[in-house]
Amino acid sequence: MSTTSALTGTRPSRARLRLAGALAALLVAAGVVGGPAAQAGEGRAGNHGGRHAGQSTLADLARRHGRYFGSATDNPELTDTAYTALLGSEFDMITPGNGMKWYATEPRQGVFDWTAGDQIVNLARAHHQKVRAHTLVWHSQLPDWLTGRTWSADDLRAVLKNHILTEARHYRGKVYSWDVVNEAFNEDGTYRETVFYKTLGPGYIADALRWAHQADPHAKLYLNDYNIEATGPKSDAYYRLAQELKAQGVPLDGIGLQAHLALQYGYPATLEENLRRFSRLGLDTALTEVDVRMLLPATEEKLAEQADWYRDMTRACLAVRRCVGITVWDWTDKYSWIPAFFEGQGAALPWDEQLRPKPAYFALRDALA
């Protein structure tokens, strides 16, 4: 997943970051402050992933602006106690990366398994965090029983309705929001040819939202996709769909902009403008799956540019009242999905594989402060 927006020139914040880096190097050489390893939190005693004891978390800082700051997580990594300690302290919103997807929750038709999703909901509750539930309808990670046969429209509609009602009812009152339909459009703004679209037509989206609202009237309901951060054919398609749904009285509360970005494709310069136009429709927006990958190896220059992007995305959200929060797609490179899907790319998150904060983490703090 990547953005194709053009990068518009050199940004002043990069120059400032380099100047700060040079000054820091002089201070290290003079023995005034510790070197990069100390600043990154090596030794970690009394240093919570870059924060000093008593220092505000990213969630604390975001809350001052009326926003949340969250992280995705996944079940296999919950046995890592150093990881879960920071997950439970730095963020106030959690998204299950896989545990609520269809293949996990309904592995056999009509047979539901809540094990993975419940584990993350219970973890969030234990740390007084909210949950962005993800996702009820997606073309990927579907069980074989669903994809391995041809459906009539009536039969598939019944299957879809039952899945949404059953899962949303199970988590009723336990989640802040649902990504109800995920990745419904192609890059050119046409509907993605999913089993749901091909069998039921575009009306499956409105139906899914209505059923989710019926099952959990208090959850915020989102449409969610990648490459819609900038204005363009794909985000225009969501804008038109949102207008139509609102005009029809369909329960839609927000648009989730995943923000899986890549340095080599350029920053989405019209992000703030795009957030504003959805707000004008009476919709919330959120940056829901944020990471900024790069071609490896990571260099000081790439990490500085990445930090600028994290800072700029955060500032864009803060500038738009109805941009309600930011979620990174897990917080450490140790558990990032990027290397497994994009060969030769990675280093996409604000903490490195050793759970040490990177320049992006400090850029987030700077933007939120």
Side-chain angles (χ1 to χ4, degrees):
M1 304 179 188
S2 60
T3 183
T4 53
S5 302
L7 180 62
T8 55
T10 302
R11 305 230 275 278
S13 56
R14 291 187 62 186
R16 290 197 302 271
L17 195 149
R18 289 195 180 101
L19 179 61
L23 177 59
L26 289 173
L27 293 172
V28 170
V32 177
V33 298
Q39 293 171 16
E42 285 195 352
R44 299 182 60 81
N47 187 298
H48 304 281
R51 279 190 299 112
H52 297 289
Q55 189 177 10
S56 299
T57 65
L58 293 178
D60 292 335
L61 295 172
R63 204 174 296 118
R64 296 172 189 173
H65 300 276
R67 311 303 202 275
Y68 65 79
F69 202 98
S71 176
T73 192
D74 207 0
N75 301 81
E77 59 223 48
L78 299 184
T79 58
D80 182 340
T81 54
Y83 166 86
T84 55
L86 194 144
L87 177 71
S89 63
E90 191 74 37
F91 308 100
D92 58 356
M93 187 75 73
I94 299 295
T95 300
N98 289 293
M100 292 183 177
K101 291 174 180 173
W102 201 320
Y103 83 102
T105 55
E106 194 180 359
R108 290 182 290 150
Q109 186 174 359
V111 178
F112 289 85
D113 183 352
W114 312 116
T115 306
D118 284 357
Q119 183 183 18
I120 290 173
V121 168
N122 291 337
L123 181 76
R125 279 184 156 186
H127 293 105
H128 308 289
Q129 297 162 314
K130 294 182 179 179
V131 175
R132 290 197 81 258
H134 175 84
T135 171
L136 291 171
V137 188
W138 190 30
H139 66 274
S140 187
Q141 292 181 261
L142 294 170
D144 291 341
W145 65 263
L146 181 56
T147 59
R149 56 163 286 185
T150 300
W151 297 90
S152 70
D154 287 345
D155 286 347
L156 184 60
R157 179 180 168 84
V159 164
L160 182 62
K161 181 178 182 179
N162 183 62
H163 179 80
I164 292 172
L165 289 176
T166 304
E167 183 165 11
R169 281 172 179 158
H170 176 78
Y171 289 110
R172 179 173 177 163
K174 300 176 183 178
V175 302
Y176 162 80
S177 66
W178 272 105
D179 290 332
V180 178
V181 179
N182 196 46
E183 301 176 6
F185 286 101
N186 296 312
E187 297 305 303
D188 63 359
T190 58
Y191 281 97
R192 189 186 288 271
E193 295 281 328
T194 68
V195 61
F196 307 109
Y197 176 78
K198 288 189 292 185
T199 308
L200 302 174
Y204 83 91
I205 297 174
D207 285 340
L209 289 162
R210 292 188 182 103
W211 293 329
H213 180 69
Q214 177 184 337
D216 188 351
H218 299 295
K220 299 286 187 179
L221 304 182
Y222 279 72
L223 305 177
N224 190 57
D225 214 324
Y226 64 95
N227 279 3
I228 61 168
E229 297 75 32
T231 54
K234 195 174 187 181
S235 61
D236 289 349
Y238 275 99
Y239 186 80
R240 289 191 298 271
L241 175 61
Q243 285 180 309
E244 294 167 7
L245 294 172
K246 295 289 282 185
Q248 296 166 16
V250 176
L252 174 65
D253 297 296
I255 301 294
L257 297 80
Q258 292 181 11
H260 291 295
L261 305 185
L263 294 183
Q264 62 269 30
Y265 296 119
Y267 181 80
T270 53
L271 172 60
E272 184 179 327
E273 172 189 339
N274 202 27
L275 294 171
R276 287 189 188 283
R277 68 169 176 164
F278 284 112
S279 294
R280 287 194 290 269
L281 292 179
L283 294 172
D284 290 344
T285 54
L287 305 182
T288 57
E289 304 184 18
V290 178
D291 48 30
V292 181
R293 69 184 187 271
M294 62 187 69
L295 297 172
L296 298 174
T299 64
E300 184 177 344
E301 183 177 17
K302 290 176 186 176
L303 292 172
E305 184 174 13
Q306 179 189 62
D308 284 342
W309 287 29
Y310 272 101
R311 181 187 293 107
D312 289 351
M313 277 191 283
T314 302
R315 286 176 174 167
C317 181
L318 295 180
V320 179
R321 184 179 61 84
R322 295 200 68 159
C323 182
V324 296
I326 298 168
T327 297
V328 289
W329 203 241
D330 225 319
W331 57 269
T332 165
D333 293 334
K334 183 177 182 179
Y335 297 116
S336 172
W337 69 290
I338 296 294
F341 286 83
F342 298 94
E343 185 176 357
Q345 299 182 51
L349 293 165
W351 285 261
D352 68 15
E353 292 185 7
Q354 286 72 47
L355 313 188
R356 296 175 303 198
K358 293 154 61 178
Y361 165 77
F362 298 102
L364 287 169
R365 293 190 64 85
D366 176 54
L368 292 168

